[in-house]
Amino acid sequence: MVVASVDNLADERSKAQFDVGAMKIVWAGSKHVFDVTDRMARIVASDPEFRKDNRTTLGRKELFKNTLRKMAHVVKRANELRLTEEEASKLRFFVDEPGYLDLHWGMFVPAIKGQGTEEQQEKWLPLASRMEIIGCYAQTELGHGSNVQGLETTATFDPKTDEFIIHSPSLTSYKWWPGGLGKVSTHVVVYARLVSGGQEHGIYGFIVQLRSLDDHTPLPGIIIGDIGTKFGSGAYNTMDNGFVCFNRVRIPRNHMLMRFCQVTREGNVCLSDVPKQMVYGTMVYVRQTIVSDASWALSRAVCIAVRYSAIRRQFGSQDRGIETQVLDYKTQQSRLFPLLASAYAFRFVGEWLKWLYADVTERLQANDFSTLPEAHACTAGLKSLTTSVTADAIEECRKLCGGHGYLCSSGLPELFAVYVPACTYEGDNVVLLLQVARFLVKTVSRLAAGKKPVGTTTYMGNAEHLMQCKSSASSPEDWLKPSVVLEAFEARAFRLAVACARDISKFSTPEAGFAELSIDLVEAAIAHCEVIVVSRFIEKVQQDIPGDGVKEQLQILCFIYALHLIHKHSGEFLSTGCITPEQATLANEQLRTLYGQVRPNAVSLVDAFNYTDHYLGSALGRYDGNVYATLYAQALRDPLNDTVVPDGYEEFIRPVLKQTMRLSRL
Amino acid sequence: MVVASVDNLADERSKAQFDVGAMKIVWAGSKHVFDVTDRMARIVASDPEFRKDNRTTLGRKELFKNTLRKMAHVVKRANELRLTEEEASKLRFFVDEPGYLDLHWGMFVPAIKGQGTEEQQEKWLPLASRMEIIGCYAQTELGHGSNVQGLETTATFDPKTDEFIIHSPSLTSYKWWPGGLGKVSTHVVVYARLVSGGQEHGIYGFIVQLRSLDDHTPLPGIIIGDIGTKFGSGAYNTMDNGFVCFNRVRIPRNHMLMRFCQVTREGNVCLSDVPKQMVYGTMVYVRQTIVSDASWALSRAVCIAVRYSAIRRQFGSQDRGIETQVLDYKTQQSRLFPLLASAYAFRFVGEWLKWLYADVTERLQANDFSTLPEAHACTAGLKSLTTSVTADAIEECRKLCGGHGYLCSSGLPELFAVYVPACTYEGDNVVLLLQVARFLVKTVSRLAAGKKPVGTTTYMGNAEHLMQCKSSASSPEDWLKPSVVLEAFEARAFRLAVACARDISKFSTPEAGFAELSIDLVEAAIAHCEVIVVSRFIEKVQQDIPGDGVKEQLQILCFIYALHLIHKHSGEFLSTGCITPEQATLANEQLRTLYGQVRPNAVSLVDAFNYTDHYLGSALGRYDGNVYATLYAQALRDPLNDTVVPDGYEEFIRPVLKQTMRLSRL
Ligand SMILES: Cc1cc2nc3c(=O)[nH]c(=O)nc-3n(C[C@H](O)[C@H](O)[C@H](O)COP(=O)(O)OP(=O)(O)OC[C@H]3O[C@@H](n4cnc5c(N)ncnc54)[C@H](O)[C@@H]3O)c2cc1C
Ligand SMILES: Cc1cc2nc3c(=O)[nH]c(=O)nc-3n(C[C@H](O)[C@H](O)[C@H](O)COP(=O)(O)OP(=O)(O)OC[C@H]3O[C@@H](n4cnc5c(N)ncnc54)[C@H](O)[C@@H]3O)c2cc1C
């Protein structure tokens, strides 16, 4: 019960067995990225306009207005400092508040770039870059999200006036969810069912002006507003996710984004010669950023939980001496260190996805579409895997902080609430895994036909070996051999995929089989995605990595990542015969040893993320470890503490106490 | 894309294969409980004072005042309607808003009942029942929660004045978390380190007055306030969880709760003849209510997700006809139906715990302490298991609702945020599992000595059989045999516990072994708790249950509950050799069949919870299925929609658009 007066974190830092500075570069990706990131983070952290510690006490209106203020300040600072696009996007990132700028820069501009003709780009992009217009992206409707082909909004060509009529035929056709739509955007890319000459031609994007550029009032025929509060206090409520109903709103013909499909003056619809697959390039890009974001969010939560676990002491004292740091408990380690390892794993697979995007783009330009389905499946799967794990991990980190993790001042509740929709937007995670599974089954069934699998499915080419191999692990140390680990993961994934393909063929139609076996298919898809992450991590730690002890630490994390998955999915590894129960036990033993090895480095491994206290936004995760005084100071700032006697005492507490309600018993 | 105009839920209801009315009684526990519950739920639902749909848009102060208003109204209504204690507690339950009444009735009053002498009870209970004083329960400190023995607050006896001096010697000793403390309570039971004659005597409870009964200002020496916002909007922020610092506050000697330990006028400390174990009786009671609450919270989330999944249609249409209800997708079923089954499972194990509590109480009165350790471990484990599963399940239900689940109007975000602390309070779930594990290891090690295990560990008496049995399942149908299922669960749990006990003995000391193997120990503890839930459920469905088809439905749910656990933990079932991979596959096949059987009954199975729309508080979970119009109506009520052009436009949006910030590029 005596509380440590030592600075636990300084002590922890002195124990590090590697060069933290060098690790920071590895984490950032390069010295250049580190420098930009570091500089932007500090600019935000030192600017009082970007304070965020009052967010969770504000009502909706004040909160939203506060965000508008910050967004304007971002624009102002980016301008004053003459930031490059790279810098400005980092600045926005560290402001750490969902707002219309995200959608303007992240969805509206890319939609025009990706789907607009050159002419359209020349017209709209300058307006958008100067922010003379603010745009958003409206695909989802009240009744349709995942099934884009089911969207109800119509865009009917009227040859008389050379216009499209944008119309919402039903309540369920109202656009619903787009960020920035509710209160801010002047323009939107609306996805609608193209109708011309009485015929339907599929879903395309149309630029529609929503609000007057003079006074911001909605244009005629447009009913528009905010869809209401969302999960958490603060969190995503800073964003005006909106709805809009179009009552036969007319737009010029050339407001349809016509890169892939053109509608002529006469109303003829013709596909352009730009191959439709180009669209997937954008998808690969967007999902790659989501995977990167997962590693940021996860590492942030882990940073808070690791530091606090080193500060927090509970039990284990003899004679009322100093207690045990909860980070020393094996249960705490087994819950926390795999998440630390996952943060690094996702960081590296995210970096690799950047390369994949570049590769795909290059190939597309050379009209080579061969790797596209694989790249598409791979990014869909990794989006699903990393966001699901991250969402759960943030909540686990919160629980790892005990009661105090439940306070907003821990930073974790808001981080969770703002992060979780990543499991849903840009593709519901289960729907995405089913897409991956479909691709895997196809890949497997084509093996027989001698078709060589490419990219991340290359390992499946090794079919015969993967079907019959037995793990050679016979000691805990064997589980530190990359080949032993990889083989187990590849064999498990392949056998699950093969079993699915085989079982599907027993049904009357493949579709019926696919539907009935979708639970197994999702498991096979996850197994495949884990192969990707594990093999990218192993690749990474086999490279030269500068910095004292850096490589060794990453190796430890790499094997923690792999072995904790073997434990988590041991049912699959065992039932497919990839490993034996004895080998599973050896892997667990090795895992426990690795926890011990990472323990003295844990605080330094989260220091390597180089997060400012502003970005962390957590009393528990502070760099200096001054947890308790900060919790107290934050509590005192709660509006409820403005007065000692609360508003409402006279009307609602005193009458209870003074029995003026004449209660007999309750 | 054509949206169904049919009432999907009426259609669903017509498909039910059982008597929903009879199931309602089974769920409630008895006709009497059903009647009371139903009546109270309706009273709350029909009273506009108890509206709760505006909670998530209010700032902290308004929100809190709003709760004070509701609490006063509860007191008033309970009085006017002359409610019994049973009725009043249901009324409070359905008001569904954390507030000081919970702590007053749920912790303060029971603490006095459990730890006060008869004299003390006579003095304080009438004041508390009439609510002339409002009390709360202060154990946790800023620096200590789980480790109660580490509390720092002191209560030093001053024989000169016959008083205790309550003191907070450090910042970390501030009481921190108690509900109702921050702004409302006039009194508190404080847990502090008893010091008399310069000696320490352990932790005891002391009644301390906090605030003036005249004007509600804090008494001298007391610094008190709210600890700040917590997870979620609305949610637990209606509660004034508080901190308090005592600066040598003096209380009369007889304010120490002296049932177990007395301090005499001279300052002598003597244990009373009431056995200390009696305290555990209260713990069993409190945890039993937490398990019940888990089934309520879980069933509520499941009710929302099932109904919405029957309304929501996505994909699967031919020719733009009606799409597939997402409830028909096997992935949706495999995520949702085990949660539905768990809700029923927890309901029944909760009912059984009530019986256990009665049994323990009876034995305690007869000075029979033999079953206490087992009952204590069992309730600790079930508290941990049910709250962890429920917290995760609520979030899963939210995800199952896609994007709309992220809106507060779905009811799920607030339900999650308000529920999750149950994993932490009344014992951190991991700390509790370690206690269970300790008990299991002890039980196993005593088997050799011929000591017969009791209560829920009775099965361990069958040691020899459990160590060598092999499952006889050879067809999917075999997995519907209670004996086959139970044997697998018991064997797995027992073998895990035995392995832990064996491995611990390899360490230099049992403590070292326990610490090092705590990860395995937690898994063994969970396995044991699952034996309890599964066997109680099986017992239940082997009884006579009135009502057409009711028993059949419960049997289906029972096996879904058991078989989904076998799948989830297949690694353990396989590695302990309790089942083979082939048997695991058979269990999965059976599980898929069971999903198909529950599908037509799903909506009716959640109707059986008998929840009002008020209690559900969800646009997605409405009884009438009118989802989309309700989402829209709720959105329109958001404060941001008060004006078309948002507050802040002139200052923060217009300057961006009009380039008055002279941005070049961002
Ligand atoms: C914070 C946030 C921001 C957003 N921003 C935007 C935006 O800016 N612009 C925009 O256009 N949209 C936006 N969206 C909407 C988002 O893209 C959709 O919510 C998402 O696509 C999921 O679709 P849904 O909500 O229709 O889910 P649904 O498809 O209705 O999912 C419901 C359930 O059905 C299941 N399911 C659906 N189809 C299948 C299937 N075929 N097989 C098995 N299971 C299935 C899902 O797994 C899920 O469990 C946003 C959403 C959120 C939460
Ligand atoms: C909403 C809410 C309401 C509350 N209401 C009250 C109230 O009315 N009155 C009151 O007195 N208190 C209240 N509490 C406090 C609550 O009882 C404590 O938060 C709880 O006991 C957990 O303790 P802790 O916060 O100290 O967690 P810690 O013990 O600090 O836990 C931190 C981490 O350490 C781990 N850990 C701790 N010890 C061990 C160990 N021996 N071995 C392995 N791992 C360990 C835990 O598993 C956890 O991961 C409330 C809390 C909340 C969140």
Side-chain angles (χ1 to χ4, degrees):
Chain A
M1 63 132 254
V2 169
V3 171
S5 56
V6 298
D7 178 350
N8 294 290
L9 295 185
D11 190 44
E12 289 290 335
R13 288 179 179 122
S14 72
K15 288 187 285 186
Q17 297 159 315
F18 70 100
D19 178 344
V20 180
M23 187 67 93
K24 286 185 179 182
I25 309 294
V26 175
W27 175 262
S30 73
K31 178 78 170 68
H32 167 75
V33 175
F34 173 80
D35 287 340
V36 173
T37 308
D38 187 60
R39 198 150 39 82
M40 292 303 123
R42 284 170 203 277
I43 287 175
V44 172
S46 63
D47 189 335
E49 292 278 324
F50 291 131
R51 258 188 63 183
K52 57 185 187 180
D53 54 0
N54 59 344
R55 266 192 309 219
T56 61
T57 58
L58 302 176
R60 184 80 207 281
K61 267 183 176 171
E62 298 163 272
L63 178 69
F64 182 68
K65 187 174 177 183
N66 193 43
T67 305
L68 292 181
R69 180 183 56 71
K70 286 191 190 180
M71 297 292 124
H73 193 64
V74 166
V75 172
K76 181 156 166 275
R77 292 300 288 150
N79 184 41
E80 287 169 353
L81 297 168
R82 307 199 157 279
L83 300 185
T84 64
E85 213 157 292
E86 183 191 17
E87 292 166 336
S89 100
K90 288 280 177 203
L91 186 77
R92 289 198 299 272
F93 177 83
F94 284 112
V95 168
D96 186 38
E97 189 151 307
Y100 65 87
L101 292 179
D102 303 347
L103 283 298
H104 178 79
W105 293 106
M107 298 294 285
F108 182 68
V109 169
I112 295 172
K113 279 190 185 158
Q115 294 151 46
T117 60
E118 272 180 38
E119 211 177 316
Q120 292 178 315
Q121 298 193 28
E122 270 164 37
K123 170 173 178 187
W124 293 103
L125 290 182
L127 291 172
S129 331
R130 288 194 303 266
M131 298 198 70
E132 288 176 38
I133 61 174
I134 297 174
C136 64
Y137 182 96
Q139 180 173 302
T140 308
E141 297 173 354
L142 196 41
H144 283 95
S146 298
N147 184 15
V148 178
Q149 295 313 314
L151 293 177
E152 294 178 74
T153 306
T154 49
T156 308
F157 183 63
D158 179 357
K160 283 193 229 105
T161 60
D162 197 20
E163 288 171 322
F164 286 108
I165 306 165
I166 308 291
H167 187 62
S168 310
S170 63
L171 175 61
T172 48
S173 78
Y174 285 25
K175 292 295 171 185
W176 189 273
W177 270 116
L181 175 72
K183 293 288 151 180
V184 177
S185 294
T186 62
H187 288 68
V188 59
V189 174
V190 168
Y191 290 82
R193 189 172 288 281
L194 169 61
V195 182
S196 186
Q199 287 245 310
E200 300 215 347
H201 300 273
I203 305 292
Y204 291 96
F206 299 82
I207 300 183
V208 182
Q209 182 172 349
L210 296 165
R211 294 179 166 95
S212 153
L213 292 172
D214 292 328
D215 62 7
H216 212 64
T217 51
L219 297 189
I222 289 177
I223 302 173
I224 195 165
D226 185 273
I227 60 170
T229 50
K230 289 144 289 187
F231 205 158
S233 49
Y236 234 93
N237 293 303
T238 58
M239 179 74 91
D240 55 331
N241 294 91
F243 67 84
V244 60
C245 161
F246 299 102
N247 186 7
R248 301 184 204 284
V249 171
R250 290 180 168 265
I251 56 169
R253 178 167 53 92
N254 66 6
H255 281 205
M256 169 175 167
L257 292 174
M258 296 215 200
R259 185 164 177 215
F260 298 107
C261 170
Q262 275 126 29
V263 175
T264 65
R265 178 63 190 89
E266 297 73 36
N268 295 329
V269 178
C270 41
L271 296 184
S272 77
D273 48 8
V274 181
K276 197 136 194 182
Q277 288 103 319
M278 296 296 279
V279 175
Y280 290 117
T282 316
M283 264 194 182
V284 172
Y285 174 76
V286 172
R287 288 183 183 154
Q288 163 252 312
T289 63
I290 294 185
V291 172
S292 272
D293 287 348
S295 72
W296 292 101
L298 175 51
S299 56
R300 184 169 159 183
V302 167
C303 180
I304 296 169
V306 165
R307 286 185 183 158
Y308 180 63
S309 296
I311 300 286
R312 185 70 171 174
R313 292 174 179 273
Q314 208 79 200
F315 295 103
S317 66
Q318 262 95 33
D319 305 326
R320 300 186 46 201
I322 198 161
E323 293 173 290
T324 306
Q325 293 164 289
V326 297
L327 193 55
D328 283 330
Y329 291 115
K330 282 282 166 202
T331 46
Q332 194 86 352
Q333 295 177 4
S334 74
R335 294 158 72 198
L336 189 46
F337 292 164
L339 306 182
L340 174 62
S342 301
Y344 276 90
F346 295 172
R347 185 80 194 97
F348 298 140
V349 83
E351 283 292 296
W352 172 78
L353 278 180
K354 266 196 206 156
W355 167 85
L356 183 76
Y357 172 63
D359 181 65
V360 163
T361 310
E362 205 171 286
R363 285 171 193 265
L364 283 179
Q365 271 151 8
N367 267 328
D368 167 6
F369 304 119
S370 64
T371 62
L372 210 55
E374 188 274 321
H376 185 247
C378 156
T379 51
L382 290 175
K383 184 275 180 184
S384 175
L385 180 78
T386 58
T387 56
S388 286
V389 169
T390 297
D392 291 350
I394 296 170
E395 172 57 13
E396 183 71 2
C397 286
R398 198 192 59 68
K399 290 204 183 87
L400 283 160
C401 295
H404 300 341
Y406 188 63
L407 281 170
C408 289
S409 52
S410 78
L412 292 164
E414 242 199 304
L415 182 57
F416 180 76
V418 89
Y419 187 76
V420 280
C423 299
T424 305
Y425 58 55
E426 287 301 321
D428 170 90
N429 278 354
V430 171
V431 174
L432 290 179
L433 288 175
L434 288 169
Q435 291 174 10
V436 176
R438 208 172 276 277
F439 171 74
L440 291 178
V441 169
K442 207 183 261 175
T443 305
V444 166
S445 63
R446 285 183 181 167
L447 284 177
K451 184 135 185 178
K452 258 187 97 161
V454 296
T456 57
T457 52
T458 307
Y459 70 95
M460 296 193 165
N462 210 357
E464 216 169 315
H465 173 73
L466 291 180
M467 283 311 283
Q468 45 80 7
C469 64
K470 291 198 182 310
S471 174
S472 63
S474 64
S475 71
E477 293 70 38
D478 283 343
W479 280 113
L480 299 178
K481 295 184 183 152
S483 59
V484 171
V485 170
L486 255 187
E487 185 188 72
F489 273 88
E490 291 177 353
R492 159 200 174 222
F494 188 61
R495 291 178 198 186
L496 290 177
V498 168
C500 285
R502 182 198 59 209
D503 293 347
I504 285 176
S505 68
K506 295 180 193 155
F507 286 79
S508 56
T509 69
E511 272 320 299
F514 194 88
E516 191 62 21
L517 298 173
S518 55
I519 306 166
D520 304 327
L521 285 158
V522 162
E523 290 173 353
I526 292 173
H528 171 65
C529 296
E530 289 178 350
V531 169
I532 305 178
V533 183
V534 168
S535 45
R536 291 297 86 79
F537 205 160
I538 287 182
E539 250 172 53
K540 179 83 191 176
V541 298
Q542 287 180 330
Q543 292 166 11
D544 269 347
I545 304 176
D548 254 15
V550 169
K551 185 167 170 161
E552 288 69 23
Q553 290 306 314
L554 292 178
Q555 279 169 336
I556 292 171
L557 292 173
C558 174
F559 289 105
I560 287 181
Y561 182 73
L563 299 186
H564 103 278
L565 286 179
I566 292 185
H567 182 63
K568 180 173 165 191
H569 299 294
S570 59
E572 293 176 8
F573 284 93
L574 292 169
S575 66
T576 50
C578 298
I579 65 171
T580 64
E582 294 69 35
Q583 289 170 326
T585 305
L586 296 175
N588 272 344
E589 270 177 47
Q590 183 55 62
L591 193 53
R592 218 163 47 222
T593 308
L594 292 169
Y595 291 155
Q597 291 171 0
V598 93
R599 168 66 189 87
N601 298 289
V603 167
S604 298
L605 283 167
V606 303
D607 284 351
F609 304 147
N610 196 46
Y611 291 144
T612 61
D613 282 344
H614 174 278
Y615 180 62
L616 285 178
S618 169
L620 306 185
R622 287 172 64 100
Y623 185 82
D624 67 6
N626 192 15
V627 164
Y628 298 115
T630 310
L631 281 173
Y632 188 55
Q634 297 248 15
L636 293 181
R637 283 215 296 271
D638 193 277
L640 266 195
N641 290 325
D642 289 350
T643 57
V644 180
V645 175
D647 191 18
Y649 164 69
E650 290 293 342
E651 301 138 86
F652 306 123
I653 300 179
R654 197 176 160 83
V656 171
L657 286 167
K658 296 305 169 195
Q659 319 289 302
T660 45
M661 294 174 160
R662 286 212 323 120
L663 32 142
S664 48
R665 120 200 90 165
L666 183 64
Chain B
M1 62 135 256
V2 170
V3 170
S5 55
V6 297
D7 178 350
N8 292 291
L9 295 185
D11 190 43
E12 288 289 336
R13 288 178 179 123
S14 72
K15 288 187 285 186
Q17 296 158 317
F18 70 99
D19 177 344
V20 180
M23 187 66 94
K24 287 185 179 183
I25 309 294
V26 175
W27 175 263
S30 73
K31 178 77 171 70
H32 167 75
V33 175
F34 173 80
D35 287 341
V36 172
T37 309
D38 187 59
R39 198 150 38 84
M40 292 303 123
R42 285 171 201 276
I43 287 176
V44 172
S46 63
D47 188 336
E49 293 277 323
F50 292 131
R51 258 189 62 182
K52 56 184 187 179
D53 54 0
N54 59 344
R55 265 192 312 218
T56 61
T57 57
L58 301 177
R60 183 82 206 282
K61 268 183 176 172
E62 297 163 275
L63 179 69
F64 183 68
K65 188 173 176 184
N66 193 44
T67 305
L68 292 181
R69 181 183 55 72
K70 287 191 190 179
M71 297 292 124
H73 194 63
V74 166
V75 172
K76 182 157 166 276
R77 291 302 288 150
N79 184 42
E80 288 169 353
L81 297 168
R82 309 198 157 278
L83 300 185
T84 65
E85 214 158 290
E86 182 192 17
E87 291 166 336
S89 99
K90 288 281 178 204
L91 187 77
R92 289 198 299 272
F93 176 84
F94 284 111
V95 168
D96 186 38
E97 188 150 308
Y100 65 87
L101 292 179
D102 303 346
L103 283 298
H104 178 80
W105 292 106
M107 298 294 284
F108 181 69
V109 169
I112 295 172
K113 279 189 185 159
Q115 294 150 49
T117 61
E118 269 180 40
E119 214 177 313
Q120 291 178 316
Q121 298 193 30
E122 270 164 37
K123 170 172 177 187
W124 294 103
L125 290 181
L127 291 171
S129 331
R130 289 194 303 265
M131 297 198 71
E132 290 177 37
I133 61 174
I134 298 174
C136 64
Y137 182 94
Q139 181 173 302
T140 309
E141 298 173 354
L142 196 41
H144 284 94
S146 298
N147 183 15
V148 178
Q149 295 313 313
L151 292 177
E152 295 179 74
T153 306
T154 50
T156 309
F157 183 63
D158 180 357
K160 283 193 230 103
T161 59
D162 198 21
E163 288 172 321
F164 285 108
I165 306 165
I166 307 291
H167 188 61
S168 311
S170 64
L171 175 61
T172 47
S173 78
Y174 285 24
K175 292 295 172 186
W176 189 272
W177 270 115
L181 175 71
K183 294 287 150 183
V184 177
S185 293
T186 62
H187 289 68
V188 59
V189 174
V190 168
Y191 290 82
R193 190 172 286 283
L194 170 61
V195 182
S196 186
Q199 289 243 308
E200 300 214 347
H201 299 272
I203 304 293
Y204 291 96
F206 300 83
I207 300 183
V208 182
Q209 183 173 347
L210 297 165
R211 293 179 166 95
S212 154
L213 292 173
D214 292 330
D215 62 6
H216 213 63
T217 53
L219 297 190
I222 289 177
I223 301 173
I224 195 165
D226 185 273
I227 61 170
T229 49
K230 289 145 290 187
F231 205 158
S233 49
Y236 234 92
N237 293 302
T238 56
M239 179 74 90
D240 54 332
N241 293 92
F243 67 84
V244 61
C245 161
F246 299 102
N247 186 8
R248 302 185 203 284
V249 171
R250 291 179 167 266
I251 56 168
R253 178 167 54 91
N254 67 7
H255 281 204
M256 169 176 166
L257 293 174
M258 297 215 199
R259 184 165 178 214
F260 298 108
C261 171
Q262 275 126 30
V263 176
T264 65
R265 178 64 192 87
E266 297 74 34
N268 295 328
V269 177
C270 43
L271 297 184
S272 77
D273 49 8
V274 181
K276 206 152 178 166
Q277 289 102 318
M278 295 296 278
V279 175
Y280 290 117
T282 315
M283 266 194 179
V284 172
Y285 174 75
V286 173
R287 289 184 181 151
Q288 163 253 311
T289 63
I290 293 185
V291 172
S292 271
D293 287 347
S295 71
W296 292 101
L298 176 51
S299 56
R300 182 169 159 183
V302 167
C303 179
I304 295 169
V306 165
R307 286 185 184 158
Y308 180 63
S309 296
I311 300 287
R312 186 70 170 174
R313 294 175 178 270
Q314 207 78 200
F315 295 104
S317 66
Q318 263 96 31
D319 304 326
R320 298 186 48 202
I322 198 159
E323 292 173 290
T324 306
Q325 293 165 289
V326 297
L327 191 56
D328 282 330
Y329 292 116
K330 282 283 166 201
T331 47
Q332 192 87 351
Q333 295 177 4
S334 75
R335 295 158 71 198
L336 189 47
F337 292 164
L339 306 182
L340 174 63
S342 302
Y344 277 91
F346 296 172
R347 185 79 196 97
F348 297 138
V349 84
E351 283 291 296
W352 172 78
L353 278 179
K354 265 197 206 155
W355 166 85
L356 183 76
Y357 172 65
D359 181 65
V360 163
T361 310
E362 205 171 285
R363 285 171 193 264
L364 284 177
Q365 272 150 9
N367 267 329
D368 168 6
F369 304 119
S370 63
T371 62
L372 210 53
E374 188 273 321
H376 184 246
C378 156
T379 51
L382 290 175
K383 183 273 180 187
S384 177
L385 180 78
T386 57
T387 57
S388 286
V389 168
T390 298
D392 291 350
I394 296 169
E395 172 57 12
E396 183 70 1
C397 286
R398 198 192 59 69
K399 291 205 182 87
L400 283 160
C401 295
H404 301 340
Y406 188 63
L407 282 170
C408 288
S409 51
S410 78
L412 292 164
E414 244 200 302
L415 182 57
F416 180 76
V418 88
Y419 187 76
V420 280
C423 298
T424 306
Y425 59 54
E426 288 301 321
D428 169 272
N429 279 354
V430 171
V431 174
L432 290 179
L433 288 175
L434 288 169
Q435 291 175 10
V436 176
R438 208 171 276 277
F439 171 74
L440 290 179
V441 169
K442 206 183 262 175
T443 305
V444 166
S445 63
R446 285 183 181 168
L447 283 178
K451 185 137 181 162
K452 259 188 98 159
V454 297
T456 58
T457 52
T458 307
Y459 70 96
M460 296 193 165
N462 210 357
E464 217 169 315
H465 173 74
L466 292 180
M467 283 312 283
Q468 44 82 8
C469 63
K470 291 196 182 310
S471 175
S472 63
S474 64
S475 71
E477 293 70 38
D478 282 342
W479 281 114
L480 298 178
K481 293 183 183 153
S483 60
V484 171
V485 170
L486 254 188
E487 186 189 69
F489 274 88
E490 291 178 351
R492 158 202 175 219
F494 188 61
R495 292 178 197 185
L496 290 177
V498 167
C500 286
R502 181 198 61 208
D503 293 346
I504 285 176
S505 69
K506 295 180 192 155
F507 286 80
S508 55
T509 68
E511 271 320 299
F514 194 87
E516 192 61 22
L517 299 173
S518 56
I519 306 165
D520 304 328
L521 285 157
V522 163
E523 290 173 354
I526 292 173
H528 170 67
C529 296
E530 289 178 351
V531 169
I532 304 177
V533 183
V534 168
S535 45
R536 290 299 85 79
F537 205 161
I538 287 181
E539 250 173 53
K540 180 82 192 177
V541 298
Q542 288 180 330
Q543 292 166 11
D544 267 348
I545 304 175
D548 253 15
V550 169
K551 185 166 170 162
E552 288 69 23
Q553 289 306 315
L554 292 177
Q555 278 169 335
I556 291 171
L557 292 173
C558 175
F559 288 106
I560 287 182
Y561 181 74
L563 299 185
H564 102 279
L565 287 178
I566 293 184
H567 182 63
K568 178 173 167 191
H569 300 293
S570 60
E572 294 176 7
F573 283 94
L574 292 170
S575 65
T576 51
C578 298
I579 66 171
T580 64
E582 294 69 36
Q583 289 171 326
T585 305
L586 296 175
N588 272 344
E589 270 177 49
Q590 184 55 62
L591 194 52
R592 220 165 43 225
T593 307
L594 292 168
Y595 291 155
Q597 290 170 1
V598 93
R599 168 64 189 89
N601 297 290
V603 167
S604 298
L605 283 167
V606 302
D607 284 350
F609 304 147
N610 196 44
Y611 291 145
T612 61
D613 283 342
H614 174 277
Y615 180 63
L616 285 178
S618 170
L620 307 184
R622 288 171 64 100
Y623 185 81
D624 67 6
N626 192 15
V627 165
Y628 298 115
T630 309
L631 280 173
Y632 188 56
Q634 297 248 14
L636 293 181
R637 284 215 296 270
D638 193 278
L640 267 194
N641 290 326
D642 289 351
T643 58
V644 180
V645 175
D647 191 18
Y649 164 69
E650 289 293 341
E651 302 140 85
F652 306 123
I653 299 178
R654 197 176 160 83
V656 171
L657 286 168
K658 295 305 168 193
Q659 319 289 302
T660 46
M661 293 172 160
R662 286 214 324 120
L663 33 141
S664 48
R665 122 199 86 169
L666 182 66

